[in-house]
Amino acid sequence: QQQVKQSPQSLIVQKGGISIINCAYENTAFDYFPWYQQFPGKGPALLIAIRPDVSEKKEGRFTISFNKSAKQFSLHIMDSQPGDSATYFCAAPGGTGANNLFFGTGTRLTVIP
Amino acid sequence: NAGVTQTPKFQVLKTGQSMTLQCAQDMNHNSMYWYRQDPGMGLRLIYYSASEGTTDKGEVPNGYNVSRLNKREFSLRLESAAPSQTSVYFCASKFRGRLAGGKTANEQFFGPGTRLTVL
């Protein structure tokens, strides 16, 4: 199994600011840690993912920082934009063959113009 | 390429009624999942099907049953709906295996969801 703890529950950031969301996991046996983005009325969609053989992965304004020893990873959104306002979920693999994902409870991000 | 589709989009049931939520994917994925999403609880796995012909319980299976009808379709059935099953239900699918280049496929693709209210 896998337990995933995510914080904060909600976040309000000014346009142009940095948004930081944190996630902690329990089971270290697996090698894939994604962040999903969900807009109101839509299903979640993969935003960015990291494998623990690297400590950081950057895609545009989105960066995952990974700390294997602390069993934590975080999402940083640089130059936050109103269009980034959404709910963000971290996840970690688990289950038989790591075929399943266990999700955090979500962070609702609001970027104020 | 429609991806993952779900029907219906909205449904209102009375306590004790039954219904089936339908899910289909056209990406030739092996694995399919049913989640429920409740405020403050994130996404919780109800049932999953690792491959055609198999189904297994997830974190919160009580009150639900599933059928993997074929590789494309995975349905979720509520036999006797209860108010505690009021939620948004998402179906997802995933390719199980290795991608070109040898990396393990991990991304789950989600449908648009079904909003269910049980009165």
Side-chain angles (χ1 to χ4, degrees):
Chain A
Q1 282 290 54
Q2 180 71 273
Q3 289 272 7
V4 180
K5 294 185 179 179
Q6 182 174 346
S7 63
Q9 191 172 354
S10 63
L11 183 61
I12 300 174
V13 173
Q14 292 276 356
K15 179 182 175 181
I18 301 173
S19 305
I20 301 174
I21 305 171
N22 300 300
C23 199
Y25 63 95
E26 289 186 344
N27 191 329
T28 60
F30 305 116
D31 64 352
Y32 172 77
F33 297 90
W35 285 93
Y36 279 75
Q37 181 187 53
Q38 183 182 30
F39 293 104
K42 305 291 186 183
L46 179 66
L47 178 65
I48 186 173
I50 194 169
R51 297 186 186 276
D53 52 347
V54 297
S55 60
E56 186 175 282
K57 182 175 181 179
K58 185 175 181 179
E59 289 184 0
R61 296 184 293 107
F62 300 92
T63 299
I64 299 180
S65 297
F66 190 85
N67 186 330
K68 191 172 183 178
S69 61
K71 299 183 195 177
Q72 294 175 346
F73 59 111
S74 59
L75 176 68
H76 296 237
I77 306 174
M78 311 300 287
D79 187 25
S80 299
Q81 299 297 312
D84 297 330
S85 296
T87 300
Y88 294 81
F89 295 95
C90 62
T96 304
N99 197 43
N100 301 341
L101 285 176
F102 290 82
F103 287 84
T105 51
T107 298
R108 177 172 288 186
L109 172 65
T110 303
V111 181
I112 301 171
Chain B
N1 212 353
V4 180
T5 56
Q6 292 184 236
T7 55
K9 285 187 167 41
F10 302 93
Q11 184 70 50
V12 178
L13 293 178
K14 294 181 180 178
T15 297
Q17 287 185 316
S18 62
M19 79 160 296
T20 299
L21 282 65
Q22 306 287 352
C23 174
Q25 53 88 11
D26 61 1
M27 297 175 282
N28 201 33
H29 285 171
N30 318 82
S31 300
M32 297 185 74
Y33 307 84
W34 276 106
Y35 294 90
R36 60 176 291 173
Q37 183 175 29
D38 303 290
M41 303 289 286
L43 291 150
R44 291 182 294 168
L45 184 64
I46 305 171
Y47 269 93
Y48 66 99
S49 172
S51 59
E52 187 179 357
T54 69
T55 60
D56 283 289
K57 295 178 180 179
E59 299 172 76
V60 289
N62 291 345
Y64 306 95
N65 283 300
V66 291
S67 295
R68 183 75 183 264
L69 305 169
N70 48 54
K71 192 172 186 179
R72 290 187 63 247
E73 298 172 290
F74 188 39
S75 62
L76 179 72
R77 182 159 178 83
L78 287 71
E79 289 291 352
S80 179
S84 61
Q85 295 178 305
T86 292
S87 187
V88 182
Y89 291 85
F90 289 99
C91 178
S93 71
K94 182 175 90 82
F95 174 71
R96 189 178 189 186
R98 297 217 174 255
L99 301 170
K103 285 197 173 175
T104 304
N106 287 295
E107 181 179 357
Q108 291 190 16
F109 293 80
F110 285 80
T114 294
R115 185 173 293 273
L116 174 67
T117 302
V118 183
L119 302 174

